[in-house]
Amino acid sequence: MSDSPATTRPPYLDAGLPVAARVADLLARMSLADKVGQMTQAERASVTPADVTAYRLGSMLSGGGSSPTPNTARAWADMYDGYQRAALDTPLRVPLLYGVDAVHGHNNVHGATIFPHNIGLGATRDPELVRRIGRATAEEVAGTGIHWDFAPCLAVVRDPRWGRTYEAFGEVPAIPEAMATMVSGLQDGVPSVLATAKHYLGDGGTTGGVDRGDTRLSEAELRALHLPPFRAAVERGVGSVMVSYSAWNGLPLHAHAYLLTTVLKGELGFDGIVVSDYNAVDLIDGEPGFTPEEVRTAVNAGLDMVMVPSEWRRFIAVLCAEVEAGRVPMARVDDAVRRILTAKFRLGLFESPLADRSWTPSVGSPAHRALAREAVRASQVLLHNDGGALPLARAGARYLVTGRNADDMGHQCGGWSITWQGSSGAITPGTTILDGIRAAAGGAEIVHDPGAERAGDGWTAAIAVLGEAPYAEFKGDRPELPGLDEADLAVLARLRAAGVPVVVVLVSGRPLDVAAHAGDWAALVAAWLPGTEGAGVADVLFGDHPPAGRLPVTWPGLYPFGHGLSY
């Protein structure tokens, strides 16, 4: 017996049909409210499951630190499934696409593997390692139900005063261009997680390194410096591109039809989702709160999905009104929704919308932590090594481990770790640099003294783990290149007064101004922001693995781009 018309499944639910045919069928069934709902991305703190159903929301996100309680992988999957079931209660049963900033592992989730930030990965010069990290991240993200990662950042950082320096792979386009393998790691294979090339375009080149600032370059310079990594990502089939808060020669990127539509979608042939940054459409005119003019300007410029964390109801009403008034063409809306639906079909969300719990045990797994440790040791850059101070000897040696970053998980993870700006202390399970030193020391004596109060006790050497406290974009901007803080300088003064040889390990998201002090040190290692597996630092200090990293950025006043010693 054939199905009656009332029970016939619509073509868009037929997994045997081509994706384009399924998209066309579903799009033809959608009202304007359905379409605008798909173009709207709301933050979980401002959305209930009932809202998802009522407003036909197409996407949600967790901003930095926006986590369920308890903050466990299982709770994340439960939360995701709750929202997804609400989406499936809508008449057309269009699943949600849920996004998260898993920028160095699934870094919002307690217990996840946190890999080195991108600046450290850039020091490895190893695209295959980065691809493998993308694959591991995809598994952990999928283990919490999520299918969209706002990574990788492909900025070309031109000024280390910029607070997002650590999110960039390097200062020349060839490095992030090569590291676009992260896209393949996230997307290619099972599970597949939608990758995001961000932030388009020129965010690392703003005047003075000011976050959300203005990149003042000719078009030829913009293309030569900042476009190549995005071209590489598009060639790898990246599923989404996030637009930069910044401007190019005064015009905000979120209003830039030439760069978004003519160049990205036309010239580069990008066929995925162009998504705004967090509340960025609100900032086009420089005033708080978005206006109808900002909404129509952004959508007409080429935005397909708009991230409006809390004001999403108003956004829906405004965009619907702009379309009904003819100021945003229905063809532009259809193009945006077509791109969004295509991504959902390609990800298999219509067939398997709920969390695949078989991936949940991968979150923080031993295999992923071993990969992270490998990445840490590959990222270490030996900047100088007077008289062979490194590698450290074991038998009969006595080492004083000092400095505020030696035993602080939050500091070695940096920003975008459990919370947006990051924080101090035992924020998540892992191995601190001190833990790693103790495990690697063999017969050497290790004493931990954060303030170097025992500097005069006859040590073979002091291992001073110094550097920055956590920060993220905007709050991490500095008017001058940052140096060491008063606590670090006090430690160094005590060590210098005692005459003990000093091996400095700098934990930082960018080069620091240490030119006035580096001459006093026996050795200097740039450890960057290594993440949860601090044992990788000790692997290099004790010579179990030679230092292989090379500077991905110039170290002002000291070391050129590409510098890096070995033993």
Side-chain angles (χ1 to χ4, degrees):
M1 180 183 293
S2 62
D3 290 337
S4 69
T7 61
T8 299
R9 283 167 58 84
Y12 74 86
L13 292 179
D14 183 353
L17 290 178
V19 167
R22 299 178 74 184
V23 170
D25 178 68
L26 178 52
L27 191 62
R29 299 169 187 270
M30 287 180 141
S31 67
L32 177 59
D34 290 324
K35 294 174 181 179
V36 171
Q38 288 299 302
M39 297 173 67
T40 306
Q41 186 176 61
E43 212 283 330
R44 59 170 289 278
S46 68
V47 180
T48 66
D51 291 333
V52 172
T53 307
Y55 289 90
R56 321 287 206 261
L57 289 179
S59 186
M60 288 178 58
L61 80 149
S62 280
S66 181
S67 305
T69 302
N71 184 3
T72 64
R74 177 178 289 183
W76 275 82
D78 291 344
M79 175 194 72
Y80 168 86
D81 280 353
Y83 285 118
Q84 192 64 280
R85 288 190 176 96
L88 300 178
D89 280 343
T90 59
L92 294 175
R93 296 179 56 81
V94 182
L96 274 174
L97 190 53
Y98 199 111
V100 67
D101 287 274
V103 298
H104 61 141
H106 202 3
N107 44 259
N108 280 292
V109 181
H110 188 268
T113 309
I114 298 185
F115 294 91
H117 267 298
N118 285 351
I119 194 167
L121 298 182
T124 72
R125 303 295 203 277
D126 190 341
E128 174 57 18
L129 174 64
V130 169
R131 186 201 65 78
R132 290 162 58 207
I133 290 171
R135 185 92 300 265
T137 301
E139 292 176 1
E140 297 205 15
V141 168
T144 60
I146 293 166
H147 288 84
W148 191 2
D149 185 3
F150 303 138
C153 178
L154 298 177
V156 180
V157 58
R158 305 297 293 175
D159 191 323
R161 294 175 294 178
W162 185 39
R164 299 192 91 136
T165 292
Y166 63 76
E167 293 190 56
F169 289 107
E171 69 180 31
V172 298
I175 301 180
E177 188 176 14
M179 300 308 184
T181 50
M182 180 72 78
V183 170
S184 300
L186 287 166
Q187 293 188 169
D188 297 349
V190 179
S192 179
V193 169
L194 200 72
T196 307
K198 67 182 189 183
H199 306 86
Y200 183 87
L201 181 68
D203 56 336
T206 58
T207 301
V210 174
D211 193 55
R212 309 185 184 186
D214 192 12
T215 300
R216 297 189 175 276
L217 295 173
S218 69
E219 182 171 347
E221 291 170 318
L222 185 77
R223 285 175 172 271
L225 271 176
H226 298 285
L227 192 60
F230 289 91
R231 186 185 302 275
V234 171
E235 289 173 352
R236 289 183 177 274
V238 70
S240 65
V241 169
M242 183 179 289
V243 182
S244 175
Y245 281 117
S246 58
W248 175 40
N249 293 334
L251 180 60
L253 266 296
H254 281 78
H256 216 301
Y258 173 69
L259 288 179
L260 298 183
T261 297
T262 304
V263 175
L264 178 60
K265 293 183 173 180
E267 180 184 325
L268 270 59
F270 175 63
D271 64 358
I273 301 167
V274 176
V275 62
S276 82
D277 209 333
Y278 197 96
N279 269 333
V281 169
D282 306 16
L283 306 177
I284 289 175
D285 64 6
E287 300 294 329
F290 62 81
T291 65
E293 182 178 7
E294 286 175 309
V295 170
R296 66 175 174 266
T297 297
V299 174
N300 287 337
L303 263 290
D304 301 315
M305 185 179 287
V306 179
M307 193 185 294
V308 273
S310 58
E311 294 296 317
W312 53 269
R313 292 178 183 82
R314 183 164 170 264
F315 169 78
I316 288 172
V318 168
L319 181 53
C320 284
E322 291 298 298
V323 175
E324 290 167 344
R327 291 184 288 267
V328 173
M330 184 61 78
R332 173 75 273 273
V333 171
D334 286 348
D335 172 60
V337 177
R338 187 177 295 110
R339 290 165 178 268
I340 294 163
L341 296 178
T342 297
K344 293 181 178 185
F345 281 117
R346 286 176 176 170
L347 286 167
L349 289 177
F350 282 81
E351 288 69 53
S352 302
L354 300 180
D356 182 348
R357 307 293 174 121
S358 69
W359 294 107
T360 307
S362 76
V363 178
S365 69
H368 291 172
R369 291 186 181 275
L371 175 60
R373 180 173 178 174
E374 176 187 346
V376 172
R377 61 181 179 243
S379 69
Q380 303 300 289
V381 181
L382 180 59
L383 295 174
H384 82 249
N385 189 24
D386 293 346
L390 292 175
L392 298 172
R394 288 184 168 96
R398 301 179 67 243
Y399 297 113
L400 181 72
V401 181
T402 186
R404 63 175 180 165
N405 287 348
D407 194 33
D408 194 306
M409 180 58 63
H411 284 211
Q412 70 187 49
C413 288
W416 286 108
S417 300
I418 307 302
T419 57
W420 174 38
Q421 293 288 325
S423 59
S424 303
I427 61 169
T428 195
T431 301
T432 67
I433 294 171
L434 174 65
D435 293 335
I437 290 172
R438 283 175 168 157
E445 179 186 355
I446 301 296
V447 172
H448 180 221
D449 176 15
E453 303 294 341
R454 295 181 54 185
D457 288 1
W459 306 102
T460 305
I463 306 169
V465 189
L466 313 175
E468 294 188 296
Y471 56 83
E473 80 263 24
F474 190 63
K475 294 186 179 180
D477 285 1
R478 298 292 181 267
E480 303 293 338
L481 186 67
L484 300 175
D485 72 0
E486 292 302 317
D488 284 347
L489 293 174
V491 164
L492 291 172
R494 293 185 186 104
L495 296 174
R496 185 169 58 250
V500 60
V502 180
V503 172
V504 171
V505 177
L506 279 182
V507 173
S508 68
R510 53 189 155 201
L512 300 181
D513 182 4
V514 294
H517 311 285
D520 296 335
W521 305 334
L524 172 58
V525 176
W528 310 111
L529 296 170
T532 52
E533 307 312 307
V537 178
D539 288 340
V540 172
L541 294 178
F542 283 93
D544 297 321
H545 294 268
R550 292 184 288 136
L551 285 180
V553 291
T554 301
W555 202 289
L558 280 173
Y559 308 105
F561 170 83
H563 176 74
L565 306 176
S566 192
Y567 296 148

